Amino acid sequence: MRLSSSFSSVSRRTVLGTGLAAGAVGLVGCVDPAGTASSDPSESALDPAGEASGEISILDDNTNLVFKNGLIETFEKETGIKVKTYEMANFNDLHDRFATLFAAEDSSIDVIMTWAGWSAEFGQAGWLHELPNDAIPSDLIRPALDAVSWDSKVYGLPKFASVQTMFWNKEHFTKAGLDPDTAVETWDQFVAAAKALTTDGRYGYTCDMGNPAGAYQNFLRTLLLAGGDLYDDQWNPQLDSEAGIEALTKLVELLHLHKAMDPASLQITNASDLVEVFSQGNTSIVFNWPFQWATATAEGAVTTAETTGNGLIPGINVRSASIDGSEGYAINTYSKNKAAALKWLQFASSATTQREIVGQEGWFPVSQEILDDPATLEALPVVETYKQSTEYATRRWGTPWSNELDQLLSVRISNAMNQRETPEEALKAAQEELKPIVDKYMG
């Protein structure tokens, strides 16, 4: 669904000056609320400390079961607000559902799940309610806040933080004659390990490139590992840069030359499916979100805490890099009960909820307080790698045109991965397709 007619252009200089859309290099560091959302009281009738009552309806993705498994009841007891409906849907289906909801000015859903791209797209369109400064907790880590922000405006509150790291099966490493306790640090070491681990019908490496978002994320991560970036300092696309072509070439070679990538990677559409592939011992290395640890060490998994390794993703021209996957909640601008909706947002980013999300599901917390809590490291050892990753580039580039970029880039990446185009041909074509889209939004 194309919704560009709903947007006004945004100054390139204005957006670049905020630092929000570009993603974060550092993953920790508190946010100064006064420097983010609008301070104009007319922008919001919400009082973060005010009373709220009534009922709300929420449309979420299928990431966090903790809400249905007890936190909704806790929220209702704490606030007196009734959650009338709470629906979980596949992330890949939500964009168009939200767009249809907003275009119809539908008030039946009060709270929606969001990430940086949708916060930018729907926020700029005026479909998400901008939060006042005093609604933003002072100790939110920057990438978590970026997931609900665009162009100096904050449209929601985060529910978890997320960065990809490398997971490996130590038993597989041992059987292949590799050191199970030492992470590979370079792309060449990674390729050599993945080739050695490809045996008995099992591939050394698997990823999730089977839908537009997955194709984009896997390319962006490899681009960053090659030392490149998606845009220059004026928002000019850099898809066909030297680093971009090298990155896509590396992915194609991993599949066709080295034959160390599972061909099923081109059909896997969700990180939750990739999680199971690894946890059932059907691949040896994945680059995935932190909840991989919780699944890999859960009852029913073939892997365990003792047999699962975790470390930084190995770089091509840099030591490491990663992509951000933080998510949050935002308020439908057409909601009839924004005050109650805000209470849900505040509850989702509260210590009560954050401890459950860390302990039960393995996502990173959104506040510095919980991140630094020793109980967090005990429940989720990969937090140590998360903190190490702050030394390296971490991006997601959530923009109002993210959905359009996902669609056009995934076609070209698929062509390259299936050898219908060379990486250079694919990225030059994608570059030319992306330029007018960026210009349409940025002016």
Side-chain angles (χ1 to χ4, degrees):
M1 179 174 292
R2 295 175 66 88
L3 301 161
S4 58
S5 60
S6 301
F7 297 98
S8 59
S9 294
V10 177
S11 159
R12 293 174 188 257
R13 180 172 298 180
T14 298
V15 174
L16 287 164
T18 70
L20 292 175
V25 175
L27 295 176
V28 295
C30 298
V31 173
D32 176 10
T36 52
S38 168
S39 59
D40 183 354
S42 67
E43 291 293 323
S44 175
L46 292 179
D47 178 4
E51 296 296 320
S53 60
E55 58 186 27
I56 56 172
S57 294
I58 302 162
L59 181 51
D60 205 348
D61 68 357
N62 55 5
T63 301
N64 303 112
L65 292 173
V66 290
F67 294 105
K68 293 185 73 171
N69 293 341
L71 283 178
I72 289 177
E73 183 178 353
T74 301
F75 169 77
E76 291 178 332
K77 288 179 179 178
E78 287 186 1
T79 65
I81 297 167
K82 174 70 175 178
V83 177
K84 180 181 179 182
T85 61
Y86 176 81
E87 181 185 353
M88 301 178 74
N90 190 299
F91 177 91
N92 299 325
D93 300 329
L94 282 175
H95 176 273
D96 287 1
R97 285 191 64 180
F98 291 153
T100 300
L101 176 88
F102 295 137
E105 301 185 5
D106 188 341
S107 63
S108 64
I109 301 296
D110 301 284
V111 176
I112 70 159
M113 165 269 162
T114 189
W115 72 280
W118 296 348
S119 298
E121 179 181 356
F122 299 141
Q124 185 178 324
W127 290 335
L128 302 180
H129 190 81
E130 183 184 346
L131 299 189
N133 293 334
D134 54 358
I136 305 165
S138 61
D139 73 335
L140 292 181
I141 59 175
R142 172 62 68 180
L145 187 65
D146 287 355
V148 292
S149 306
W150 170 253
D151 194 22
S152 298
K153 296 179 174 65
V154 178
Y155 294 106
L157 293 178
K159 59 174 177 170
F160 64 77
S162 182
V163 168
Q164 289 192 345
T165 56
M166 178 174 64
F167 297 85
W168 68 91
N169 186 309
K170 291 186 177 183
E171 289 186 333
H172 293 181
F173 268 57
T174 298
K175 291 177 181 178
L178 303 171
D179 184 349
D181 298 316
T182 303
V184 295
E185 295 187 355
T186 69
W187 189 267
D188 288 343
Q189 291 173 358
F190 158 65
V191 171
K195 291 171 67 175
L197 291 159
T198 299
T199 182
D200 299 328
R202 184 186 65 228
Y203 286 86
Y205 174 73
T206 306
C207 64
D208 54 342
M209 301 179 71
N211 69 351
Y216 166 76
Q217 290 171 25
N218 278 273
F219 170 73
L220 175 60
R221 182 185 60 230
T222 316
L223 170 65
L224 295 169
L225 292 170
D229 216 335
L230 201 57
Y231 303 97
D232 67 11
D233 61 2
Q234 293 296 311
W235 285 94
N236 296 305
Q238 303 293 298
L239 293 176
D240 63 346
S241 65
E242 182 177 338
I245 294 169
E246 181 178 15
L248 187 51
T249 299
K250 294 291 188 185
L251 291 173
V252 172
E253 289 177 345
L254 197 59
L255 177 64
H256 294 287
L257 175 62
H258 305 303
K259 301 186 185 302
M261 177 196 288
D262 190 338
S265 298
L266 303 188
Q267 282 78 51
I268 296 175
T269 61
N270 199 296
S272 59
D273 295 327
L274 183 61
V275 157
E276 292 298 330
V277 173
F278 179 83
S279 299
Q280 294 307 311
N282 295 323
T283 195
S284 303
I285 301 174
V286 294
F287 305 151
N288 210 349
W289 307 112
F291 79 128
Q292 177 70 77
W293 177 265
T295 306
T297 59
E299 184 178 351
V302 172
T303 50
T304 66
E306 291 70 31
T307 63
T308 301
N310 177 249
L312 296 170
I313 298 173
I316 298 171
N317 298 318
V318 296
R319 168 61 186 90
S320 188
S322 190
I323 56 175
D324 180 81
S326 304
E327 294 183 5
Y329 290 114
I331 301 172
N332 179 359
T333 196
Y334 302 110
S335 166
K336 302 299 184 183
N337 198 352
K338 294 183 178 68
L342 177 59
K343 295 299 182 184
W344 176 265
L345 270 61
Q346 293 171 322
F347 176 75
S349 60
S350 70
T352 297
T353 300
Q354 289 302 298
R355 290 192 176 97
E356 288 292 304
I357 285 179
V358 170
Q360 299 299 318
E361 298 185 335
W363 296 98
F364 297 136
V366 303
S367 72
Q368 194 72 48
E369 174 191 358
I370 305 301
L371 183 66
D372 293 337
D373 188 338
T376 296
L377 180 59
E378 182 178 354
L380 190 59
V382 296
V383 163
E384 198 63 46
T385 305
Y386 177 60
K387 291 182 176 181
Q388 292 173 21
S389 72
T390 65
E391 300 177 22
Y392 309 100
T394 300
R395 301 277 194 270
R396 183 65 176 267
W397 289 107
T399 64
W401 59 89
S402 287
N403 191 60
E404 292 172 87
L405 171 57
D406 285 356
Q407 298 294 329
L408 74 87
L409 185 58
S410 66
V411 172
R412 297 300 177 178
I413 290 175
S414 176
N415 285 346
M417 296 302 295
N418 287 288
Q419 298 187 308
R420 292 189 290 266
E421 294 179 310
T422 67
E424 183 173 4
E425 291 169 343
L427 291 175
K428 285 189 178 299
Q431 172 82 359
E432 293 307 308
E433 293 165 352
L434 180 57
K435 283 180 180 177
I437 293 174
V438 176
D439 288 343
K440 174 178 63 180
Y441 286 95
M442 300 303 290

